[in-house]
Amino acid sequence: QLMLQYPRGTRYLEAMERLAELYQRKKESKYQAILIYRKLMLAEERQERRDRYLLKIAQAYMALGRLEQARFELRRLITEFPKSPLLPQAYYLVGYSYYWEGRKPLAVIAFNQIQKDFPKDPLAPQGRFFVAEIFEEEGVMRKALDAYESLKGRFQNAGILDKRIQALRARMGRSVR
């Protein structure tokens, strides 16, 4: 109602954002959310939030299974906003999207980029854990073990990490015999 009755009002853009957030929650309305976020990107008053809108657009496309389009939006975020605090999340989503498609070598590259450029970001250990899992799935046990061990003291769930390391060592020990 606010948007319809007061299209030039001071709360118009805020109402658009709230509406986009509501649309983002349900799969059947994600395209409406994308359209609103694209309109918000054009608003001069919201220029400082454009990187966030691109991330939200990419997340909506990922939820819809349109991974190539999601990566396009994420690459746009990475190139247009090289100082954005959202870059680690963008790289993580790029890696995850490649993993989801079974394109694991590209996923490893994206996850390693977080480690390289943002080693102190909380997503860096998450990305490294994903790399270790990919190596393990691909049967590259030594690299997987090295990746898991590099996370000691940095990974949020030390119990899971220790179990993975122990299980991998046991598997490697059995394969030597």
Side-chain angles (χ1 to χ4, degrees):
Q1 281 299 80
L2 177 69
M3 290 171 56
L4 292 173
Q5 292 182 5
Y6 304 99
R8 303 274 183 246
T10 57
R11 300 279 189 197
Y12 178 77
L13 294 174
E14 187 178 328
M16 280 181 70
E17 273 189 40
R18 301 276 188 249
L19 185 59
E21 289 169 9
L22 290 172
Y23 282 149
Q24 182 91 356
R25 292 181 185 167
K26 293 186 179 176
K27 187 171 184 171
E28 62 271 7
S29 59
K30 292 216 183 275
Y31 283 113
Q32 288 95 332
I34 291 168
L35 292 174
I36 292 172
Y37 285 128
R38 289 204 189 284
K39 285 180 186 177
L40 285 165
M41 287 185 66
L42 300 174
E44 199 63 42
E45 304 89 338
R46 292 291 197 258
Q47 290 300 304
E48 77 283 352
R49 296 182 183 184
R50 288 183 67 221
D51 59 341
R52 283 182 251 161
Y53 298 147
L54 277 172
L55 184 65
K56 288 184 180 287
I57 290 168
Q59 289 169 328
Y61 279 124
M62 284 189 77
L64 291 166
R66 299 202 40 211
L67 303 179
E68 193 62 43
Q69 185 65 40
R71 283 192 297 269
F72 173 81
E73 304 297 343
L74 293 165
R75 281 190 294 271
R76 210 174 139 199
L77 190 159
I78 291 165
T79 56
E80 290 181 23
F81 303 95
K83 302 284 188 210
S84 172
L86 301 175
L87 290 182
Q89 192 172 359
Y91 281 114
Y92 187 86
L93 290 175
V94 167
Y96 185 76
S97 73
Y98 281 130
Y99 179 81
W100 197 3
E101 286 182 330
R103 298 165 71 183
K104 294 175 184 175
L106 294 172
V108 168
I109 291 168
F111 289 131
N112 281 339
Q113 196 68 41
I114 304 167
Q115 190 74 31
K116 179 182 170 222
D117 293 345
F118 311 98
K120 299 208 184 301
D121 191 89
L123 285 174
Q126 291 294 109
R128 188 71 178 152
F129 190 83
F130 234 126
V131 167
E133 284 185 325
I134 291 169
F135 287 148
E136 189 174 356
E137 289 171 12
E138 297 293 312
V140 189
M141 301 305 181
R142 172 58 25 208
K143 279 188 170 183
L145 184 60
D146 290 345
Y148 283 132
E149 287 180 338
S150 74
L151 289 169
K152 285 188 173 185
R154 296 179 39 218
F155 193 66
Q156 63 191 17
N157 194 329
I160 287 177
L161 182 63
D162 289 339
K163 285 180 184 178
R164 287 288 179 98
I165 290 171
Q166 289 171 3
L168 190 54
R169 283 184 179 155
R171 282 176 60 197
M172 289 171 69
R174 282 193 300 267
S175 67
V176 171
R177 293 180 186 151

